[in-house]
Amino acid sequence: MSSGSSEAGSARTFHSGSRGIVRLAWARRLGLPDLAFSDDGGRLLGCLDAASSLTAVELFGQVALSGPTELVEAAADLPDEDLLAGGALLRLAGHGAHGLSTGVLGFVDDLRVLQPDTEPEVSRGNPEAIELETRCPPDDVSSAGIERREHRFTLMLPDGPAVCAAYSVREGLIADLGVLVAPALRRRGLGTFMARLAAHEALAEGYLVQLEAQAQNVGALRLADALGVVPSGRIASVLLGRT
């Protein structure tokens, strides 16, 4: 099966009018007032004492910090770059903190429909997605986060599952997309094809599409570019130690 696309990349498909939806979704996720994000706003602080992570987000140039009150207040005056690089969050979180993750956030609100040369076989069942995970390195499985995303679309080839694109709905507004490709089938456009398929499904349901590409994940960054995802922010997050 061919992906049906010969594009070196896609036109950027995120309009300024969609910013408000993204801002609203992230404000709610970070424990902030609905209208906290703004074009001319300063740093935002979201205090969530029950939070299991300490998170810094830059969205359209504005930075927000969210986590337990004590840690948020301790980080309130640190430079943006220190927070978004992640090291400052790790130091503040202290003993037992782990799972530092840094990434780029991008969004899509429209995509061109590309028709494949042949009709693909796509499964929406869990067993096929789970089987694909067993074929991939653990770090790739963790980065894609397919198990965390309930809407799954798995491309089936004669020798089994090849690609899974999946999304979960955040705050009822945004479809957070992840893609996992079997190692032997990478760099063939199949991941982009399935990401488009899942993204179209999410857009048809009325959601904006979000892709979070970890800073060190070259494949995810290439996928974002191929989809026409517009880089609109950054995120750094660290899991807090349990006491």
Side-chain angles (χ1 to χ4, degrees):
M1 185 202 73
S2 167
S3 67
S5 173
S6 59
E7 295 173 284
S10 296
R12 299 309 188 196
T13 51
F14 185 76
H15 304 92
S16 60
S18 297
R19 283 189 177 192
I21 297 173
V22 172
R23 285 169 161 164
L24 174 60
W26 272 97
R28 291 177 175 177
R29 180 175 172 184
L30 297 173
L32 297 165
D34 282 357
L35 301 180
F37 283 102
S38 63
D39 285 336
D40 57 355
R43 178 175 294 178
L44 302 171
L45 304 179
C47 296
L48 298 171
D49 287 327
S52 60
S53 63
L54 180 62
T55 301
V57 175
E58 180 191 43
L59 201 60
F60 308 114
Q62 186 175 14
V63 173
L65 185 67
S66 178
T69 302
E70 181 181 4
L71 297 179
V72 169
E73 291 178 346
D77 296 322
L78 293 177
D80 291 349
E81 289 304 320
D82 289 354
L83 294 175
L84 291 164
L89 298 183
L90 198 57
R91 290 190 295 272
L92 281 169
H95 179 72
H98 63 287
L100 173 64
S101 175
T102 60
V104 178
L105 291 170
F107 306 93
V108 167
D109 58 13
D110 189 23
L111 279 175
R112 261 183 57 203
V113 176
L114 297 178
Q115 295 297 333
D117 298 335
T118 58
E119 189 67 25
E121 180 183 350
V122 176
S123 169
R124 298 189 66 165
N126 291 337
E128 293 80 4
I130 293 170
E131 182 182 347
L132 175 62
E133 289 183 324
T134 67
R135 300 182 174 197
C136 299
D139 286 350
D140 292 347
V141 172
S142 176
S143 178
I146 298 302
E147 73 283 353
R148 303 192 300 271
R149 296 176 166 92
E150 63 272 22
H151 302 279
R152 301 173 184 174
F153 306 83
T154 304
L155 175 65
M156 303 298 295
L157 296 183
D159 62 347
V163 183
C164 183
Y167 70 85
S168 57
V169 178
R170 300 271 192 176
E171 310 300 332
L173 298 168
I174 289 178
D176 187 49
L177 181 67
V179 181
L180 183 64
V181 184
L185 298 171
R186 293 174 185 175
R187 305 299 294 271
R188 301 187 186 184
L190 297 177
T192 302
F193 172 73
M194 289 304 295
R196 277 184 171 275
L197 185 150
H200 276 297
E201 292 284 341
L203 291 168
E205 293 294 325
Y207 306 118
L208 297 183
V209 174
Q210 169 182 290
L211 185 67
E212 179 181 332
Q214 292 187 4
Q216 71 277 16
N217 191 329
V218 176
L221 294 170
R222 285 197 188 110
L223 173 65
D225 186 62
L227 283 176
V229 170
V230 178
S232 302
R234 293 177 289 169
I235 182 170
S237 183
V238 61
L239 296 174
L240 302 176
R242 297 182 182 275
T243 57

